[in-house]
Amino acid sequence: MCGIIGYSGHRPAVPLIVEGLRRLEYRGYDSAGVGFVQAGELSVIRAPGKLGELEKKLARQNVFQATAGIGHTRWATHGVPNEANAHPHRDNSGKIALIHNGIIENYLELKKELAAKGYTFSSQTDTEVLANLISEGLKEKGDLTKALSWALSRADGAWAIAVIHQDMPGVIHAARRSSPLVMGIGTGENFVASDIPAFLPYTREVVFLDDGDLVRIDADSWEVFDAATLAPREKKVQHIAWDVQSAQKGGHKHFMIKEIFEQPKVIADCLVGRVDHEANLVDLPEIEALGVPERLHIVACGTSFHAGLWGMYLLEKWAKIPVQVEIASEFRYRGPILDKKGVVLAISQSGETADTLAGIRLAKEQGLPVIGLCNVVGSSVARESDYVMYTQAGPEISVASTKAMCSQLTSMLLLALYWGRRSGALDQDTAARCVRELAMLPQLLEKELPGMREQAQRLSRLHAEATSFLYLGRDACYPLALEGALKLKEISYIHAEGYAAGEMKHGPIALIDPKFPTFAMALDDELFPKVKSNLVEVQARGGTIIALVNPGLDAGVDHSWVLPKAFGPLNSFLALPALQLFAYEMADYLGKDVDQPRNLAKSVTVE
Ligand code: M6R
């Protein structure tokens, strides 16, 4: 996820673009850059790090003449966040500059083809390949609009792009497929951007672009074409009433709810480049050289630890790999005796959690290879691990982790499929069915989320007086119970405990009374009868129960929350947002600071 903006008008473009990037920084912040034509020459200025680094660079130069340009704030998915990989990228002629949000999936193929024609590359990015492909198109077509259409017809993947050319100083071309792009229509000025806040101080007149749109703007005009045929496309200009803050949250009240609703896309993005949907195969080139581990030690904290625990159930079942999951702060001090043939998997959204990093160092001291599963490209976990698998979830702003866990579960599922098939422990039919259903999961989740939110709203209102909650689940639902309890306590400050349902009678059952509700996961699997009898035990003590169930199942509880039934492990991807939404709605109803709960930091970089 990156932020892009393009401007053509009558104001100094570079300061305006930088200001727009500041409002897009929530979309990515590991490097930034601008491109503009001034005194007949195309300039590109880029800097790694937060936007402030780019501003420092710009402050040393005269950048006030250009009245058109493009800007990019990056959240890396490929290639470390350094200056060479920052956008804009230029073609070999130095006349074209391109910014891009998305992934060109066939960029290696295209790069080879271009290299054979003599093109050279100075970055590891797919974007530089596209810049040169447009350049190649320009040679053939002699017109930038046609060149862009041609280049995009050769590309696979997702993009929102904006392009400028030295010989067309006031003109910006842009296009979208599967990545957000909107156009802002002003008076004597026009904009394209990933999101409305980028230009909201200047105009509230917006055109929402669709997949397959190709746009040409200058200061006084705008046109939209079909990217493939270049036939004109009709568009409606809409007036936006949001303020900047709510626009950054996509109209949502909090980043947390926005991120919960992003989960269908998070699943789809995590699969990009890893799943061959035609052959129903999973390929993880980033860990190919490692082979199938004989034993896995998973090390993580908080929500990432719960994702690891969830992975344990699946990896043991499907890949038949013995797995041990440990809280990093315990692992680092207990003097673990690690199996030399084992592999350590460190899970961290931020990639900066101090205890998880200490766990990595300990594993390396003992000579074990480490896989870092993290979200932030170029983070310490990524740098210190021997192998890195990125979860590709985009920046997570809310302190309470939601979409990151969804991406971690998706990654664990991919690992189980990949290793399970490589070792032969998992049969082809199960793997193929899972891959098929996984591809349809984002659509299913997208459809279900609004109704789930309503249910969460209703149930949270009914239980808003509770001061304690018990969360119960068995098997893969046990880590989800831990996560549900963590979410509730961290944002609503209601005490909650997650327990393995069968363990409840060994102590916590003493707490149950009519004022102590239980939130259970009683899904349609072989353990349903066992969970049901645990719930009967709760009811016998007068406890009220909310239970996540599947259609046709009677858990006999006070509040059955019915979720559609999915294939095996995919059921967790429906249960997880239900738990997150319940915690969110409860905290919001109680008036808590949802995105920045008290006493918590987004990344815990100290012990
Ligand atoms: O960045 P990490 O995944 O390493 O962070 C681990 C925990 O600090 C994090 O999951 C924390 O528990 C969140 N507040 C959970 O919502």
Side-chain angles (χ1 to χ4, degrees), residues 361-417:
R361 289 169 198 149
L362 185 147
K364 289 178 86 172
E365 271 162 32
Q366 295 203 18
L368 271 78
V370 176
I371 306 173
L373 177 65
C374 60
N375 193 30
V376 180
V377 174
S379 61
S380 304
V381 166
R383 287 199 309 274
E384 295 195 27
S385 299
D386 304 292
Y387 302 85
V388 188
M389 182 170 167
Y390 288 117
T391 53
Q392 302 179 176
E396 190 177 63
I397 308 290
S398 175
V399 167
S401 187
T402 54
K403 67 173 184 172
M405 182 164 182
C406 175
S407 69
Q408 290 162 345
L409 299 194
T410 313
S411 306
M412 301 301 288
L413 183 57
L414 291 178
L415 284 171
L417 286 164

Side-chain angles (χ1 to χ4, degrees), residues 301-304 347-351 353 399-401 486-487 490 604:
C301 301
T303 292
S304 298
I347 309 179
S348 173
Q349 184 286 130
S350 61
T353 300
V399 167
S401 187
L486 175 64
K487 283 286 93 73
E490 71 179 328
V604 186

